[in-house]
């Protein structure tokens, strides 16, 4: 099937899912959204709101009891999931169990071995990915003995080496120190604009969410709002807002004449200068 | 640090570390095989000298090897006792029903003890100087011919490598659970055998549950990262056969010849 450019690269229609068929509460209910190629979508929401479950559904790990998922032109099912996984990769929330290889470079190569990639090409991809996350010096280390942040970086390298069209990141930066987080986000932004990558990032970092193209807010398994950061942050008031929004609200409380909607960093700087 | 030394890899730069895992595996198995052709003490002296030489080459402290034998000492002594008690022949020192302590029994008991310890030493040398991943790669390579019997060699070797990869996690987890139970007042290694066994239940149950959860998670990760059983995979690990590897096998031939000569001495 040919993907025409107007079709979304991910389309989730009316998806409902429960882990336990006997229970009446749904982990996810009536989820609808679509993502365009080249978009960076942040998914935010409290713990237990179903973010990781949604990622599992997109990957075909869990089968929704209702609804359909279409990714890169394939309707997700048992047959197409392998094709989809060649185009979409994930960094899982818990880095401890996602290492298969017993050294860093072996682990980064695991996904490439599964594609039956020739050795020389594999080596290039592995080292390139390790340089991108700044873990090349650790290529012979045992991944289980690394720090949390280093583990997450290796996991990201494993994903980047695959050069997927779609990247799913499930709280993939939580254990990183602020500087490496910033560096990695920058690297991803660069890759995204160069190769038209689609990124879906589950995050608690509101500043990261604020710099995304769109935000999906999950609440108890339903989408409570979806839209640009501007739209979402002016509407969802019970979230720990990104820095600029917090500043805006404080200024507003103090009776300053600030605009009524969320402002990006540049807009805020612009406004402050006036 | 964990006490268990068997199956552990110690990074190093010794000659043995550099040898190809296939050479080490072949030589190791071959050594264990010819061990059973040693008939008398001159042959044992030769084999022991070889074992010590190899242990010395590994650059690992001798104490480390002793620690490797320790957890197995009861198994060894048990086997030795059986051998001593149920072998007749030669001068008989003690007899009670089928149980006899004879000259032959004691001699073969001693030989069995030495053979056992040598096997442990030699296999410890191999695992201490070979990365688990190289070892599985070597096993994979050596089992390849079995593919014609429809034996799933690829699956076996990936299973092995994953099992090896998760042993440290399992040990860490055991330690954590033991500490947690100790904090609740459980005392390990005290009381009657039955009581000691009972204290193990609250360790194994959580360990079992967490292993199952882990297995499921790891299976998901493998699947998502594109692993399909029965599919063709390439390999990032390259084993390289060198001159030293051929040489090590030649040494094994010399050892065999030496053994045969020693057997004729007594
Ligand atoms: N494997 C599972 N089996 C049963 N219930 C699960 C499983 N994984 C998650 N849940 C439950 O589903 C809900 C959503 O979890 P999750 O998707 O992990 O949330 P989030 O990632 O947003 O924190 C939680 O109530 C959680 O307890
Ligand atoms: Mg989660």
């Amino acid at each position: 099937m040919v993907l025409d450019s107007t079709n979304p690269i991910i389309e989730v229609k009316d998806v409902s899912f429960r882990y336990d068929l006997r229970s009446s509460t749904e982990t996810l209910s009536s989820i609808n959204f679509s993502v365009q190629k080249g978009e960076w979508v942040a998914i935010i929401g409290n713990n237990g709101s179903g973010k990781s479950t949604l990622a599992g559904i997109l990957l075909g790990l869990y089968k929704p009891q209702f609804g359909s998922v279409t990714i890169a032109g394939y309707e997700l099912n048992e047959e197409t999931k392998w094709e989809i996984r060649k185009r979409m990769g994930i960094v899982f929330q818990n880095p401890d169990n996602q290492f298969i290889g017993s050294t860093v470079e072996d682990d980064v190569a695991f996904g490439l071995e599964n594609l039956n990639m020739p050795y020389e090409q594999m080596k290039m991809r592995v080292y390139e990915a390790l340089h991108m996350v700044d873990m090349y010096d650790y290529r012979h280390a045992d991944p289980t003995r690394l720090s949390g942040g280093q583990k997450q970086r290796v996991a990201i390298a494993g994903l980047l080496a695959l050069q997927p069209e779609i990247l799913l990141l499930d709280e993939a930066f939580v254990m990183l120190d602020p500087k490496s987080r910033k560096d990695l986000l920058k690297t991803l932004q660069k890759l995204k604009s160069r190769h038209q990558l689609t990124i879906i990032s589950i995050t608690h970092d509101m500043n990261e969410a604020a710099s995304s193209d769109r935000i999906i807010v999950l609440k108890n398994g339903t989408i409570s709002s979806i839209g640009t950061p501007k739209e979402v942050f002016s509407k969802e008031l019970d979230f720990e807002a990104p820095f600029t929004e917090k500043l805006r609200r404080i200024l507003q409380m103090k009776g300053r004449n600030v605009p009524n909607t969320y402002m990006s960093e540049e807009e805020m700087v612009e406004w402050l200068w006036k | 640090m964990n006490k268990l030394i068997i199956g552990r890899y110690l990074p190093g730069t010794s000659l043995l570390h550099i040898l190809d895992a296939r050479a080490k595996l072949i030589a190791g198995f071959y050594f264990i095989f010819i061990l059973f052709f040693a008939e008398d003490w001159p042959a044992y002296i030769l084999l022991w000298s070889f074992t010590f030489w190899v242990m010395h080459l590994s650059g690992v402290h001798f104490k480390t090897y002793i620690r490797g034998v320790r957890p197995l000492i009861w198994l060894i002594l048990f086997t030795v006792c059986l051998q001593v008690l149920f072998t007749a022949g030669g001068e008989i020192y003690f007899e009670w029903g089928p149980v006899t302590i004879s000259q032959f029994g004691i001699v073969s008991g001693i030989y069995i003890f030495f053979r056992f310890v040598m096997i442990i030493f030699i296999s410890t040398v191999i695992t201490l100087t070979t990365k688990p991943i190289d070892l599985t790669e070597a096993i994979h390579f050596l089992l390849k011919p079995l593919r014609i019997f429809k034996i799933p060699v690829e699956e076996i070797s990936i299973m092995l490598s994953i099992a090896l990869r998760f042993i440290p996690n399992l040990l860490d987890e055991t330690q954590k659970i033991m500490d947690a139970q100790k904090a609740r007042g459980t005392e390990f290694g005290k009381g009657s055998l039955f009581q000691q066994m009972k204290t193990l239940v609250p360790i194994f149950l959580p360990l079992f549950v967490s292993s199952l959860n882990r297995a499921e998670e790891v299976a998901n990760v493998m699947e998502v990262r594109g692993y399909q059983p029965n599919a063709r995979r390439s390999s990032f690990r390259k084993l390289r056969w060198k001159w030293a590897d051929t040489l090590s096998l030649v040494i094994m031939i010399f050892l065999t010849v030496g053994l045969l000569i020693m057997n004729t001495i007594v």
Side-chain angles (χ1 to χ4, degrees), chain A residues 47-48 50-53 93 170-171 202 204:
Chain A
N47 288 335
K51 305 182 297 293
S52 297
T53 308
Q93 185 168 0
D170 191 351
E171 305 189 21
I202 295 170
H204 285 297

Side-chain angles (χ1 to χ4, degrees), chain A residues 230-231 233-234 245 248 252 258-264:
Chain A
K230 203 174 203 132
E231 293 160 0
F233 284 125
S234 353
E245 175 65 10
R248 190 189 68 83
Q252 197 167 35
V258 284
N260 263 326
T261 58
Y262 164 83
M263 292 186 284
S264 70

